Amino acid sequence: MTVTPGRTRAGQVRHFLDLDRFDTETLRRILDLGAAYKRGDKPFGKDKPLSGRLLAMIFEKPSTRTRVSFEAGMKQLGGDVIVLTRSDTQLGRGETIADTARVLSRYVDAVMIRTDDPAKLCGLAEFASVPVVNGLTDDTHPCQVMADIMTYEEHRGSLEGKVVAWSGDGNNVCASWIQAAAHFGFEMRVACPPGLEPDAGVVAWATGNGAAVAIGHDPRAAAAGADLVITDTWVSMGCEETDRAGRLMPFQVNGGLMALAKADALFMHCLPAHRGEEVTDEVMDGPHSVVWDEAENRLHVQKGILTWCLL
């Protein structure tokens, strides 16, 4: 059976939306592609497999890593990009996401969107006839977690059977980590203040698909014996809450918390970090930290995502 580039065997467009929409085999294929690009291999037998392809990137939230990694990755693969900010599109002036999706599909080969509202992502995917990639929503951040998993595997091998501890706000990155637990067989422990727990539906999906996920309020219990400790900024873009720092300070990842994890545990943060808040300099710059490898791997894993979507 011949498979049309950019489509599944069933003829559906290959979107990269959320990890709960994938089987583990497909996620492994994407990770393997990213690792191959990092090694300098040519998985599709060409230096520039996306030559002549065009990616539209819609940024309704600003970014450093997402912007640069997608743009660099697409160009390294031989393609090109068009960058659209909130002020560059008609979405804020009344045009529907469905109409935007239909129009962009006539111009470009794929669309990446970084937005607040996950409904915009889903609307784009529903009405676009080209692949749509989730660059971040308020609910999830799958590209980041794919890069995180790639980073852990580079340093320590498989995550299967390992313990991953999250300390802080149960936010969009945390949600994607919980979804990943159902695919990669690790135990996910989340410690956060009451009221800042991850979405219950995300947890229910993961546990219903065999994941070991524990949600609690004690960061020390979560970190005890962990193989990987993760945190993220306490105040995400668009968050209006003003008392988060006080509620989250007990969940700071510092030397004392890392000392409870395994001696060879890794520390991750998706960046940008607010040093002295969710993480101390001692940890960010210390021997457990792999944050710079993590940031670099956004480039490589996104090249895997782009070629999986388009080839």
Side-chain angles (χ1 to χ4, degrees):
M1 176 181 179
T2 301
V3 180
T4 303
R7 293 181 181 268
T8 66
R9 291 185 180 275
Q12 299 170 323
V13 178
R14 285 184 176 173
H15 301 302
F16 186 84
L17 304 180
D18 281 314
L19 301 186
D20 60 356
R21 297 177 181 237
F22 287 93
D23 57 59
T24 303
E25 181 182 2
T26 300
L27 295 177
R28 173 51 56 194
R29 168 63 174 157
I30 293 170
L31 286 170
D32 288 346
L33 284 169
Y37 285 122
K38 188 171 185 177
R39 290 192 303 268
D41 296 345
K42 302 174 185 177
F44 296 92
K46 301 176 181 178
D47 285 323
K48 306 290 185 181
L50 296 186
S51 178
R53 302 296 187 95
L54 186 59
L55 171 69
M57 302 196 298
I58 301 174
F59 285 95
E60 295 194 324
K61 286 192 171 189
S63 169
T64 299
R65 279 149 291 276
T66 299
R67 163 73 188 269
V68 177
S69 58
F70 267 110
E71 184 163 354
M74 191 67 180
K75 291 184 176 181
Q76 288 174 15
L77 292 167
D80 209 340
V81 298
I82 296 173
V83 178
L84 300 168
T85 65
R86 185 183 293 271
S87 63
D88 294 325
T89 75
Q90 295 295 326
L91 286 171
R93 301 180 181 89
E95 185 171 38
T96 67
I97 196 72
D99 289 350
T100 299
R102 294 182 180 108
V103 170
L104 288 177
S105 296
R106 303 295 182 101
Y107 298 149
V108 302
D109 299 286
V111 179
M112 188 284 297
I113 184 169
R114 182 178 171 92
T115 184
D116 54 353
D117 186 358
K120 293 179 181 178
L121 170 74
C122 294
L124 269 180
E126 180 180 358
F127 292 100
S129 57
V130 299
V132 173
V133 176
N134 178 0
L136 172 144
T137 71
D138 281 357
D139 285 0
T140 57
H141 198 357
C143 290
Q144 179 64 56
V145 172
M146 289 289 279
D148 295 350
I149 291 169
M150 179 180 174
T151 305
Y152 186 91
E153 291 181 344
E154 284 179 341
H155 286 267
R156 298 288 186 266
S158 174
L159 265 166
E160 186 173 2
K162 304 298 185 182
V163 174
V164 176
W166 178 279
S167 184
D169 181 18
N171 65 7
N172 52 358
V173 181
C174 181
S176 289
W177 264 107
I178 291 170
Q179 291 172 344
H183 291 292
F184 296 98
F186 55 86
E187 178 186 348
M188 184 75 193
R189 301 177 189 166
V190 178
C192 49
L196 294 180
E197 298 91 349
D199 181 78
V202 171
V203 177
W205 176 87
T207 55
N209 283 274
V213 180
I215 310 298
H217 307 300
D218 184 351
R220 295 176 63 84
D227 298 277
L228 171 62
V229 178
I230 319 170
T231 192
D232 196 2
T233 180
W234 290 344
V235 181
S236 299
M237 288 177 288
C239 177
E240 301 300 328
E241 188 177 345
T242 57
D243 66 339
R244 284 198 167 207
R247 296 172 67 191
L248 283 157
M249 183 56 75
F251 297 83
Q252 180 188 74
V253 180
N254 50 38
L257 193 69
M258 285 302 304
L260 298 173
K262 288 183 179 176
D264 65 346
L266 300 181
F267 168 75
M268 292 187 187
H269 188 308
C270 70
L271 305 179
H274 294 79
R275 292 168 179 256
E277 294 184 4
E278 72 270 11
V279 62
T280 60
D281 287 344
E282 176 187 15
V283 174
M284 272 284 289
D285 301 323
H288 299 284
S289 177
V290 290
V291 297
W292 314 121
D293 293 339
E294 186 185 1
E296 177 189 340
N297 284 339
R298 287 292 302 277
L299 169 67
H300 306 300
V301 84
Q302 282 159 195
K303 289 165 79 171
I305 291 168
L306 289 168
T307 48
W308 175 82
C309 284
L310 288 166
L311 298 177

